[in-house]
Amino acid sequence: MSKIDELKARAEKGDAGSQSDLGIAYAIGDGAEPDLQQAVYWFRTAADQGNAGAQYNLGGCFATGEGVEQNLTEAARYYELAAEQGLPDSAYCLATCHARGLGAPQDWTLAAKWMKFAKDKGHPGELEDPFEEYQIGNCFAL
């Protein structure tokens, strides 16, 4: 059984971490053919179980319109769900949403709050993961 088959078996049994990882695999084509609709399906499945990483990645999909119709309001909503669980990358994105009024009301107080939170959690102000950089670049180049 391949690594992706093992991951899919765990995901189909309801493991949210595996569902999120499978979404990433489909998003970037790691062990599977790239399939953004499948990525969104698995991100949403894991996000519905409260997986912060999946919420963040689903927010990125909504922000970019990759695998789903672009919806900046949904992007900001999923970024907020993940940020509230302590995910600094998501807090950084949410801060940018509030700073630019993208999918959330422009609110400098909330932008500063989430940017400080991200920084306090060690966010460097830039992203290290290419998939994350792609999401941010597409969302916030608007």
Side-chain angles (χ1 to χ4, degrees):
M1 183 178 275
S2 72
K3 178 182 172 185
I4 198 76
D5 290 334
E6 290 174 10
L7 189 59
K8 191 170 185 178
R10 290 191 307 271
E12 289 173 344
K13 289 181 181 176
D15 180 71
S18 295
Q19 292 165 345
S20 182
D21 290 346
L22 189 57
I24 292 169
Y26 279 119
I28 64 174
D30 182 16
E33 286 294 315
D35 184 333
L36 293 173
Q37 285 77 30
Q38 280 293 307
V40 167
Y41 171 81
W42 289 110
F43 288 149
R44 188 184 308 268
T45 301
D48 288 348
Q49 293 188 65
N51 182 283
Q55 291 166 341
Y56 167 71
N57 287 324
L58 187 56
C61 291
F62 277 112
T64 62
E66 298 286 336
V68 68
E69 185 174 333
Q70 186 178 41
N71 183 327
L72 297 179
T73 301
E74 282 295 286
R77 183 173 80 84
Y78 280 104
Y79 287 149
E80 185 170 15
L81 288 170
E84 287 174 345
Q85 292 189 67
L87 196 64
D89 290 341
S90 203
Y92 179 81
C93 294
L94 182 59
T96 307
C97 289
H98 281 296
R100 297 188 180 177
L102 295 170
Q106 188 171 31
D107 184 324
W108 293 107
T109 302
L110 284 175
K113 168 192 166 183
W114 287 112
M115 192 60 70
K116 180 180 182 325
F117 178 87
K119 183 179 178 191
D120 289 349
K121 291 282 189 173
H123 193 280
E126 57 189 53
L127 299 171
E128 298 171 8
D129 182 300
F131 183 61
E132 294 171 12
E133 288 182 21
Y134 176 76
Q135 291 175 7
I136 298 299
N138 278 298
C139 180
F140 301 117
L142 299 175

